[in-house]
Amino acid sequence: MHYYTRKLLSTLITLFLVSVLTFSIFQLVPGDPAQMILGVDANPQQIEALRSTMDLDKNPVIRYTNWVLRAVQGDFGTSYKYQRPVAALISSSITITAQLAFLSLLLSIIIGIPVGIFIAKRDKEKKVIPLSILSQLGMAIPSFCVAILLIDIFSIKLKILPSLGYIAFSESPFGCFKSLLLPSLSIAFGGAAVIIRYLRSNIVSERREDYVRTNRSIGLSENQILYKHILRNSLIPVITIFGILVSEVLGGSIIIENVFSLPGIGKLITSSITSRDLPLIQALVLYLSIIVVITNMIVDLLYGVIDPRIRIKGDD
Amino acid sequence: MNKVLEIDNFTLSFKIKDKEVKAVNDISLYVEKGEVVGLVGESGCGKSLTALSIVNLQPSNSKIVDGQIEINGEDVLSYSREMWNDKRGKDFSIIFQEPMSALDPLVKIGNQIKESIVAHADESINSVDLKSRIMDMLRAVELRNPELVYDSYPHQLSGGMRQRVLIALSLINNPCLLVADEPTTALDVTVQSQILKILKQMNEELSLSVLFISHDLGVVKNFCERIYVMYAGLIVESGISSDLIENPIHPYTKGLIDSIPSIKKRGKTLSTIKGNVPTLERRSGMGCPFASRCYLAKPVCYVKKLEEQRVGSRSLFCHLINLEEELERIKSDAKN
């Protein structure tokens, strides 16, 4: 089968499994949503009535089918807490999270790739050891610690960047960028660290490959060999990391949005969990999973573009 | 005499546990213009290190202790890094043993060869000329479908095809010297002879000088005009191919020749040389390195420094055999 068709098919299957899993998990969560809405003082008749209007008394398979059929049409039900359609709630906060995630990934790449190359080029020199240690720290320190550190430096001491709130892009593009810079940097710190470490070790091991010796033997300079040959070969595994990075960035944004009080998806998730807002949680989890699954599909497709061996193998 | 390559008293060493060990020990050899010269020995005897040193690709933890390498009369060991980059692939080239991994898997064949031309071109060449030059070269190495190969990725080609591509890559700028480091070892026998044929053609048509390195005396004997036999970092015997093969003098050369399988030896046990080439750590650096495996060895072999004996084109390093007497004996044997 064709490489791309196969990838698309496996993505669809994954999405189906994700929806089943998301639905099932929240069936197991203790607590009755009807009871939750009506409060502890509600009488059993009221609860029973609400349960039947919410379809809670029906068979889980039927409920799942109904949920999926409506979800496909963009209807995720109504949030218990906000009493608004879930789809509307998500679409109003998704822009912020999308901007945050995009900026975080961009910063991870902008920092990660050049620093990775820099360290790899000076692999044996002592002066890059601090950078290596820093990148190891970057992987170990959770993003909210970095956030607190950055707030302390840029908001409290230097007073150049805000520590709270969000300014919409339509209001002021620069203000929007400023309000997202610290949150994205907090996330990008870890992301860049991952890229640095992978890229460095890939470059160092690629440099020992036979084709590099061939390149030297035809008189290419070390820089030509690095940028035209080694780098491309070294980036293939880094692209795989990129898929993992996207899910990490999304996970990171849940915490970071709370630290910086950004009204994004992450903020919505925490509030929906604390209030047992089942339709909202289900929709959000599904939403995030879909993003991760689709990014991984894109990564797989990119893989085929950059590495001819995969493309052609798939064509057979 | 017009020597394209001349190596004089070249010594390369490694530092192993604070001890300097010589992996290539005081070797001298030369290749004349248009000549094909073989360098033969078992694995681990320093042939590949010698080859790599000629193009300055020896391992970074090795050290050139002594000696000279001249290519076209230029002392290449004094070259700067830029000079090496300028000369490699233009004045002299090398091809390696393992064609499977020697090409960048992500770059099309045509583009990889193009890089070598562009790197050494003084002025920019238009892409039509570039392509026709590459196609000519791909045809010259007898690739059956050059148009297809030009647009292929390395993994789409067989080992033999890749070695042809590598030969094309190394010869695209018309170098005068090719160092071929076991180019046929990883290939099967039929492909092996095709590759040798191509190298021979290039040698004749372009008057390319070739230093051909191999562990297989059977391959080298028909292909090379002169042969150097190397053992444990030392050249032990050298001479004109036919002469050396028919009348080997050094016990090591004799051993190598006896271990070539042939129709005449059918049904008999193939002889081998007992033992292995000593590892770098176990080389004493004194006396004859072959002494421990030699059937003639006497105590003197282990301690006395070897001296070269030379008669005409024949040269020998051995304490026990007198080259002149031995050659006389061979001559009189032939008469009777």
Side-chain angles (χ1 to χ4, degrees):
Chain A
M1 216 191 299
H2 194 277
Y3 176 69
Y4 298 119
T5 338
R6 216 173 42 205
K7 280 290 155 210
L8 206 70
L9 211 71
S10 76
T11 306
L12 286 175
I13 294 170
T14 317
L15 285 179
F16 168 71
L17 291 176
V18 163
S19 74
V20 171
L21 210 64
T22 315
F23 184 83
S24 319
I25 286 170
F26 289 108
Q27 299 309 306
L28 299 175
V29 174
D32 181 357
Q35 177 100 55
M36 205 70 77
I37 294 170
L38 295 171
V40 272
D41 304 329
N43 66 47
Q45 283 82 14
Q46 278 177 308
I47 291 177
E48 211 43 55
L50 188 61
R51 278 180 68 93
S52 86
T53 51
M54 286 169 73
D55 284 353
L56 285 174
D57 52 351
K58 296 215 173 74
N59 169 326
V61 179
I62 297 173
R63 275 187 288 138
Y64 169 77
T65 327
N66 286 339
W67 178 63
V68 167
L69 286 177
R70 282 197 220 114
V72 173
Q73 294 161 22
D75 175 15
F76 288 94
T78 310
S79 154
Y80 301 158
K81 185 186 171 192
Y82 297 97
Q83 290 300 321
R84 281 176 61 198
V86 168
L89 279 171
I90 292 179
S91 68
S92 70
S93 32
I94 191 74
T95 6
I96 299 171
T97 307
Q99 285 169 346
L100 177 64
F102 177 74
L103 198 58
S104 310
L105 283 174
L106 198 69
L107 286 173
S108 308
I109 296 169
I110 291 176
I111 301 168
I113 292 184
V115 176
I117 295 172
F118 182 84
I119 298 181
K121 270 176 112 171
R122 290 157 188 80
D123 185 41
K124 282 178 188 134
E125 294 171 30
K126 283 208 175 67
K127 64 183 176 198
V128 298
I129 291 175
L131 269 176
S132 298
I133 293 172
L134 199 67
S135 77
Q136 192 138 28
L137 270 178
M139 277 168 53
I141 297 178
S143 55
F144 66 87
C145 291
V146 181
I148 292 166
L149 200 73
L150 289 176
I151 290 175
D152 185 55
I153 298 170
F154 292 100
S155 306
I156 299 172
K157 298 230 169 70
L158 297 174
K159 296 192 172 57
I160 45 172
L161 288 168
S163 68
L164 277 179
Y166 170 72
I167 298 163
F169 190 80
S170 52
E171 243 173 77
S172 148
F174 184 64
C176 173
F177 173 73
K178 260 173 79 173
S179 69
L180 290 176
L181 189 56
L182 283 189
S184 332
L185 266 179
S186 321
I187 300 172
F189 198 69
V194 174
I195 294 181
I196 290 169
R197 293 196 72 76
Y198 271 87
L199 191 58
R200 187 206 71 90
S201 70
N202 288 340
I203 291 178
V204 170
S205 72
E206 282 293 324
R207 212 185 265 139
R208 285 192 285 266
E209 289 292 317
D210 280 355
Y211 72 83
V212 174
R213 188 177 61 177
T214 309
N215 284 333
R216 291 199 180 110
S217 82
I218 61 171
L220 299 186
S221 72
E222 288 301 311
N223 271 339
Q224 279 173 319
I225 298 173
L226 177 64
Y227 292 111
K228 284 187 184 163
H229 297 276
I230 296 178
L231 193 57
R232 211 171 142 208
N233 278 287
S234 312
L235 277 176
I236 295 177
V238 176
I239 286 176
T240 321
I241 298 301
F242 203 74
I244 301 164
L245 216 59
V246 169
S247 53
E248 272 184 15
V249 164
L250 288 174
S253 70
I254 296 175
I255 296 159
I256 289 300
E257 281 176 12
N258 282 297
V259 173
F260 288 92
S261 292
L262 299 171
I265 295 280
K267 199 87 204 274
L268 210 54
I269 287 181
T270 24
S271 80
S272 66
I273 290 174
T274 47
S275 61
R276 309 258 157 162
D277 198 342
L278 207 54
L280 190 54
I281 306 174
Q282 272 182 0
L284 284 170
V285 171
L286 186 67
Y287 209 86
L288 291 181
S289 321
I290 289 173
I291 294 177
V292 172
V293 170
I294 290 180
T295 345
N296 276 301
M297 183 188 74
I298 295 172
V299 163
D300 278 344
L301 298 184
L302 267 180
Y303 219 52
V305 172
I306 198 171
D307 192 340
R309 285 166 293 188
I310 289 175
R311 212 182 318 152
I312 288 150
K313 232 181 268 163
D315 281 339
D316 294 340
Chain B
M1 264 199 300
N2 192 352
K3 287 175 185 168
V4 172
L5 169 71
E6 188 167 15
I7 300 179
D8 276 319
N9 306 99
F10 181 76
T11 302
L12 184 84
S13 74
F14 285 92
K15 209 165 200 168
I16 296 174
K17 292 174 197 150
D18 289 330
K19 206 178 106 188
E20 284 235 324
V21 278
K22 293 171 179 168
V24 176
N25 193 354
D26 198 23
I27 69 160
S28 299
L29 62 85
Y30 67 90
V31 180
E32 280 177 41
K33 189 161 177 54
E35 196 182 23
V36 181
V37 172
L39 182 59
V40 188
E42 284 167 285
S43 305
C45 72
K47 330 175 282 284
S48 283
L49 278 172
T50 309
L52 290 170
S53 303
I54 294 169
V55 293
N56 198 37
L57 289 175
Q58 70 276 18
S60 56
N61 57 340
S62 65
K63 200 177 137 207
I64 296 169
V65 184
D66 195 16
Q68 253 194 331
I69 298 179
E70 283 187 4
I71 299 177
N72 289 326
E74 280 185 46
D75 172 20
V76 296
L77 294 182
S78 66
Y79 277 178
S80 66
R81 190 193 272 260
E82 288 74 26
M83 281 283 265
W84 275 113
N85 285 343
D86 180 44
K87 299 280 184 184
R88 272 200 293 246
K90 188 173 91 183
D91 290 2
F92 45 85
S93 285
I94 184 164
I95 47 176
F96 300 104
Q97 178 173 350
E98 191 42 77
M100 298 312 276
S101 54
L103 290 159
D104 185 338
L106 304 183
V107 182
K108 285 182 182 170
I109 301 300
N111 291 336
Q112 300 204 35
I113 301 180
K114 215 181 275 175
E115 268 187 310
S116 179
I117 302 179
V118 173
H120 297 292
D122 297 326
E123 55 209 44
S124 67
I125 308 165
N126 72 54
S127 57
V128 180
D129 288 350
L130 262 179
K131 180 155 184 188
S132 77
R133 208 171 130 190
I134 296 167
M135 295 300 291
D136 287 347
M137 197 68 220
L138 292 179
R139 270 188 284 270
V141 294
E142 293 179 355
L143 277 158
R144 229 168 291 144
N145 205 336
E147 198 71 49
L148 199 68
V149 170
Y150 185 91
D151 280 318
S152 296
Y153 289 101
H155 70 274
Q156 295 168 297
L157 307 180
S158 69
M161 287 162 94
R162 287 187 215 186
Q163 194 59 283
R164 282 166 212 253
V165 167
L166 285 160
I167 293 173
L169 179 67
S170 63
L171 299 182
I172 190 76
N173 290 314
N174 275 324
C176 54
L177 172 70
L178 177 71
V179 180
D181 185 7
E182 305 216 30
T184 59
T185 305
L187 305 173
D188 60 58
V189 184
T190 48
V191 180
Q192 193 172 349
S193 64
Q194 291 163 7
I195 296 288
L196 289 176
K197 205 184 104 209
I198 291 165
L199 286 177
K200 193 78 193 169
Q201 267 170 20
M202 295 295 175
N203 159 252
E204 282 159 9
E205 286 165 22
L206 309 169
S207 70
L208 174 76
S209 310
V210 181
L211 179 64
F212 189 87
I213 289 151
S214 178
H215 64 269
D216 188 345
L217 207 54
V219 169
V220 169
K221 65 176 181 185
N222 299 318
F223 181 59
C224 301
E225 287 144 50
R226 282 187 302 116
I227 296 175
Y228 290 92
V229 179
M230 198 166 175
Y231 184 80
L234 235 81
I235 288 176
V236 292
E237 185 172 6
S238 69
I240 305 226
S241 287
S242 51
D243 186 28
L244 190 94
I245 299 290
E246 272 161 43
N247 308 308
I249 295 172
H250 196 283
Y252 181 61
T253 319
K254 280 186 182 157
L256 280 183
I257 288 168
D258 286 343
S259 40
I260 304 172
S262 80
I263 303 281
K264 278 183 232 158
K265 297 177 197 161
R266 214 170 153 166
K268 293 176 196 159
T269 310
L270 195 64
S271 74
T272 53
I273 308 172
K274 284 197 188 79
N276 290 310
V277 182
T279 56
L280 279 179
E281 294 93 329
R282 286 176 46 232
R283 291 182 197 169
S284 65
M286 283 189 344
C288 172
F290 188 60
S292 59
R293 294 170 78 189
C294 183
Y295 59 90
L296 294 173
K298 298 230 164 69
V300 60
C301 293
Y302 291 92
V303 287
K304 202 175 143 197
K305 192 179 185 305
L306 281 167
E307 298 281 340
E308 184 182 19
Q309 305 177 54
R310 177 171 276 281
V311 175
S313 60
R314 199 68 185 257
S315 135
L316 179 75
F317 286 86
C318 183
H319 290 304
L320 306 175
I321 300 169
N322 184 306
L323 180 63
E324 216 163 318
E325 286 170 16
E326 191 68 14
L327 286 172
E328 284 300 323
R329 198 181 57 75
I330 289 168
K331 218 183 270 173
S332 65
D333 279 1
K335 271 181 203 153
N336 302 330

